[in-house]
Structures are given as structure tokens and as C-alpha cells.
Amino acid sequence: MLVGLQLGEIVAYRNEKRGALVQNVVPVRMLENSQSNGGSVSLQFHTENAFHPNRPDYVGLLCLRPAHQEEVGTYVASIRQALPLLSDKDRAILCENRFITSPPPSFRSEQKTEPHPLLSGDIDDPDIRVDFHATAALDDTGAEAMSRLGEALAAVRSALHLRHGDMVFLDNRLVVHGRSAFTPRYDGTDRWLHRVFVHLDNRRSRARRPGGGAVLM
Ligand SMILES: O=C(O)CCC(=O)C(=O)O
Ligand SMILES: [Fe+2]
């Protein structure tokens, strides 16, 4: 949290881990096949809380206990590196309101998003907003461009093999992340991360933070 506060304000979401400001990322029995951080199947590339109007600007992960298997990694890929692999036509399609993103089941109150672009801002240095599990294109043209975006991100992917005490902050505007599959033991010795979310400008989310607190509705 102290490092996160150098970047901005720590926030959390009421519907996610009950609004905990520091969240545990551990494999949870019965969630093994879910596309959530309690799962242990391969977690697809995503912008954190891609469905949410006030997504985190940064996601901080601190490793308390590494995975048993050395090869388990948090995958990251930056749109800055993937963009040159995309054609001008695909870039233009990805900048259009042709995609919708569903909230995870835990955010029961939220609706699907309005149609939104996957890339926004400067066409040569865009922000990215996508969740390859939860985002769907409204038509085939969009779906094909989204698929090529996924290939471009996979081509520039790198893996972070977090060890005890390692901390990483991901720029959630530019970088998607995911995780390899692993085999949990559920015996109290599994991989364990702490996670925090940072907003650069608390004012933007004020309407969703009752009482001016840190937890968004
Ligand atoms: O387990 C990981 O390395 C990352 C999981 C994840 O996507 C998250 O906690 O937001
Ligand atoms: Fe995530």
C-alpha cells in the first residue's frame, strides 16, 4: 500500500473480495476452473475489471509465497509492443465501439458495458481495454480484429516468475495480464500474492465511493 500510495490512491470494489483494500490471491478449492484469481487453470489475458467505468490505473502484486512449480508465471503484454504487429485496418476497427464486456459473476449488480473500443486515445499510443474471457465483439469483423489483437499480445508476452518478496505494478491502461495454469495442493503452502489497486485521480470515481471512502460500489 505504501508503494501504491506513491502512485495514487488505493481503491477497492465492494463486490470483489468484500471491498478488501489488500486482496489475497490464492487458489481456492471449487474455483479451480474459474477465470478468476482463485482459479488454477490458465487465466486469459485481461485488463483488470475491464467492464468497470473506473478500472484501476495500476495493479500491484506482491508475492508472499511462490508457486511450487517454478514455471508458474504471471503473464504480461503491453499494447505498446503489440501495436506494430497490427495492421492499420485492425487498429481502426479496434478503436470503434464494437465490443461489450461482461462483469464477472461476483459483480452481480453490474450490467454488461455499452459498446466500447478495445483501443482508445492516441492511435499511435493507445490505451487498451479488453478481457479475452469477458469481452465479445458485436460482429465478425470485430471478432477477427480482436483475435489478431490476442495473437499480437501473445507474441510480445513475457512471464514474471514472482518469488518471495517480489512486487510488481502493472499499468492497467497499457498492459494486459494473465497467469499460467498450476496444480494447487490446498494444504496451506500454495502460491500466495497480495494485490492492491491504484487510481491516479480519486475525483473521477467520487460518485461511486459513498462517503468519499476507498471502496467503489
Ligand atoms: O495470479 C496472478 O498472477 C494474477 C491473477 C490476476 O489476474 C489478478 O489477481 O488480477
Ligand atoms: Fe487480474
Side-chain angles (χ1 to χ4, degrees):
M1 287 191 64
L2 283 171
V3 176
L5 284 168
Q6 301 304 308
L7 295 168
E9 307 289 344
I10 303 285
V11 292
Y13 299 81
R14 169 68 60 214
N15 287 329
E16 192 173 43
K17 315 238 181 196
R18 295 190 206 151
L21 293 182
V22 177
Q23 300 126 32
N24 290 303
V25 178
V26 285
V28 178
R29 216 190 274 276
M30 310 296 286
L31 291 184
E32 48 266 48
N33 294 317
S34 80
Q35 283 290 313
S36 76
N37 64 27
S40 38
V41 291
S42 159
L43 183 57
Q44 294 184 51
F45 265 147
H46 59 278
T47 307
E48 197 63 29
N49 288 348
F51 73 96
H52 202 283
N54 300 111
R55 299 174 285 291
D57 293 310
Y58 295 98
V59 177
L61 298 171
L62 169 66
C63 180
L64 303 188
R65 195 163 53 218
H68 294 296
Q69 300 97 337
E70 295 249 318
E71 66 279 10
V72 175
T74 304
Y75 293 133
V76 292
S78 168
I79 186 57
R80 284 188 172 158
Q81 275 149 20
L83 197 69
L85 306 181
L86 294 169
S87 67
D88 288 348
K89 187 161 170 248
D90 278 346
R91 291 187 204 187
I93 294 166
L94 294 168
C95 286
E96 289 168 5
N97 291 327
R98 299 173 90 123
F99 308 88
I100 50 170
T101 300
S102 309
S106 50
F107 281 79
R108 279 182 210 96
S109 54
E110 296 280 346
Q111 317 256 307
K112 283 183 181 168
T113 61
E114 295 293 311
H116 66 85
L118 303 190
L119 303 181
S120 63
D122 189 320
I123 188 103
D124 293 321
D125 183 15
D127 285 5
I128 185 167
R129 175 189 186 186
V130 68
D131 180 326
F132 284 91
H133 178 65
T135 303
L138 294 174
D139 59 22
D140 289 347
T141 307
E144 286 157 21
M146 182 172 153
S147 161
R148 286 189 285 271
L149 173 65
E151 287 165 18
L153 290 165
V156 300
R157 178 183 96 169
S158 47
L160 305 169
H161 302 282
L162 300 177
R163 298 289 164 240
H164 177 246
D166 285 349
M167 180 166 26
V168 58
F169 275 85
L170 308 175
D171 188 326
N172 198 42
R173 304 162 302 172
L174 293 174
V175 170
V176 292
H177 64 280
R179 193 208 54 237
S180 55
F182 65 106
T183 309
R185 298 184 184 167
Y186 303 126
D187 63 354
T189 68
D190 281 323
R191 181 173 185 267
W192 180 16
L193 312 181
H194 269 167
R195 184 179 69 176
V196 290
F197 293 144
V198 177
H199 269 170
L200 286 171
D201 182 353
N202 238 352
R203 190 71 201 155
R204 289 190 210 286
S205 62
R206 180 64 185 85
R208 288 172 176 265
R209 291 182 295 103
V215 181
L216 280 82
M217 298 304 286

